[in-house]
Amino acid sequence: MIFHAEPIEFARQPGSGAPVWSGRAADGEDLLRFAISVHRHQGRLAALWGSDDRPSHGVYRLHCVFALDEGWLQLGLDLAASGDQCPVYPDLSGIFPAANRMQRATRDLVGITTDGSDHRPWLRHGAWPADWYPLRHDAVHQAGMGAGFENLPSDYDFVQVGGEGAHEIPVGPIHAGIIEPGHFRFSVIGERVLRLEQRLGYLHKGVEKLFVGADVPQGARLVGRVSGDSTCAYAWAYAEAVEAACRIEAPPRALMLRALMLERERVANHLGDLGAIGNDAAFAFGLTQFMRLKEAWLRLNHQVFGHRFMMDRIMPGGVAMDIEAAALAAIVEQCGVIGSEVKRLRTLYDAHAGLQDRFATTGAIDATLAQELSLTGLAARCTGILLDGRAHRQGYTPPAPYAKLGVRPVTDERGDVAARVAVRFDEIFESLRLLREMAVGMPSGDTRFEIAPIGGASGLGVIEGWRGEVLVGVQFGEDGKLARVHPHDPSWQIWPALEHAVMKDIVPDFPLINKSFNLSYSGADL
């Protein structure tokens, strides 16, 4: 690989998935030096989590995934177990601000902590004691996970903004619509936003604990329900991680079917969001038209795959079902119909002065901030950063089958709501093109190979979902059962960017800006 990481040695992960190298840091200083070097090479922090490996190796372990142009580097750091005290590792948030919330969540769940200053809880809202860590192997109590502790109210130390005329507007976690819970604390003067601080974690449901001791099929069913709008992305990332750990590759037809489902998932979400963004700018006609198209799209999903969101169709080793030539023809036909309808609606959006007035310059972030916050996916591409795990770039070859499909990534340098709308339109057209190519060029052959877990093995899967890169890290116990699974949503990095995007805009713009990103609460509240 191009990146020099002396003295850390990295080994390439087997399999046909995203290029991943794994290595081990000797100590905290080794980790810190490596993180600084990645930052200097304009790399990103892709994910961070912890595991209790005392039963197998007598240590706790910190897992960091860094992203560079060539691919992803997974770096482990062993932390000695020391009685009831929390093992300590270097704070990475001064290098990568995105590490802050991940580190705090890791402390809440595993009880390993940083030498930094921000130790506020992130996922723990008073539902369990501060000295009890649910992902430790000996974390038991009388009634099982999620019960047996008194659910106490908890205060949260929000950062306060002072000065003449400044005041706070608390919003949530209970909202007026049928949406997920999140608390947003606005510091404002009049309607102008000076600062926004988020408090999430209200959806914590013990997902990572449920993986422990599960078999591979049970893990596949669970991971597809982490964030329902990205079920295909999560299922594929999990399958890729398991396949890497078990040293097998899915057959070519299965990989093409996975890509076909992933692109249909991408189109469905962009259709829904374009309608919702229009609605938040008082253009209800856009909502009704795009929801009509999305409904037709989801109905064909059900007809072809047996499920509107294609849950449980991507499995380790391949896919759970095959589709006939007639279904592929129906997909091609629908791509033509939807493409024509979206083209007409785009003309309407672009020509609507009221919409463009609300979209342009609203909720803007630039490429420098996007790089600093380790943004990925749609949010990064809307600042002009050419970053798409499906597309070729210097030093990087995308995994199968995208390497042969020639994905044309879409970017827009404006970084505002208008850019996020424009990129969604262009990505729909690109996905429709890819879907037609996949349907016509679908290879023949097997759709699934059997999986045989290897005790003690591990793997990492990375998939470019519609929102950005979805990562899933998998560790097997010696018994072949899942010992640790960490699903990581790109919303972890993008939520902090929303706090910056609303600054200097007005409070009524927040719903529009928020919807233009459409981030996952559930994906970051495991």
Side-chain angles (χ1 to χ4, degrees), residues 323-352:
I323 60 177
E324 302 294 332
L328 294 172
I331 288 173
V332 171
E333 181 182 1
Q334 187 184 52
C335 286
V337 173
I338 294 293
S340 296
E341 296 258 16
V342 171
K343 186 176 181 179
R344 284 195 290 268
L345 285 169
R346 182 174 198 173
T347 300
L348 186 59
Y349 269 48
D350 289 346
H352 195 292

Side-chain angles (χ1 to χ4, degrees), residues 98-130:
N100 176 278
R101 296 177 179 184
M102 302 179 208
Q103 292 174 165
R104 290 158 61 191
T106 299
R107 177 188 174 94
D108 289 347
L109 296 176
V110 186
I112 62 177
T113 191
T114 69
D115 57 9
S117 59
D118 193 351
H119 289 164
R120 293 177 297 171
W122 185 248
L123 294 177
R124 181 176 58 81
H125 285 256
W128 65 81

Side-chain angles (χ1 to χ4, degrees), residues 202-287:
Y202 296 94
L203 278 173
H204 181 75
K205 46 205 174 291
V207 170
E208 291 180 290
K209 185 72 171 181
L210 293 173
F211 280 112
V212 179
D215 59 25
V216 169
Q218 289 171 329
R221 182 170 176 80
L222 182 58
V223 80
R225 288 157 175 79
V226 166
S227 187
D229 60 12
S230 300
T231 182
C232 293
Y234 274 103
W236 193 349
Y238 170 80
E240 187 177 288
V242 170
E243 288 157 7
C246 299
R247 289 169 166 74
I248 75 157
E249 296 183 12
R253 184 175 178 88
L255 291 173
M256 191 69 83
L257 286 169
R258 287 177 179 178
L260 189 145
M261 285 186 264
L262 186 70
E263 295 310 311
R264 289 194 65 85
E265 181 171 84
R266 192 182 316 277
V267 171
N269 282 288
H270 286 336
L271 290 173
D273 283 352
L274 286 169
I277 293 169
N279 191 58
D280 278 342
F283 189 56
F285 177 79
L287 176 66

Side-chain angles (χ1 to χ4, degrees), residues 424-467:
R424 275 185 165 83
F425 273 115
D426 286 336
E427 288 195 351
I428 287 176
F429 296 131
E430 176 63 4
S431 289
L432 294 178
R433 183 187 70 83
L434 293 172
L435 285 166
R436 286 190 287 264
E437 284 197 18
M438 287 186 279
V440 172
M442 182 67 62
S444 59
D446 294 324
T447 57
R448 190 177 180 191
F449 294 147
E450 290 300 317
I451 289 281
I454 300 175
S458 62
L460 178 71
V462 185
I463 294 297
E464 184 72 27
W466 73 271
R467 196 179 270 119

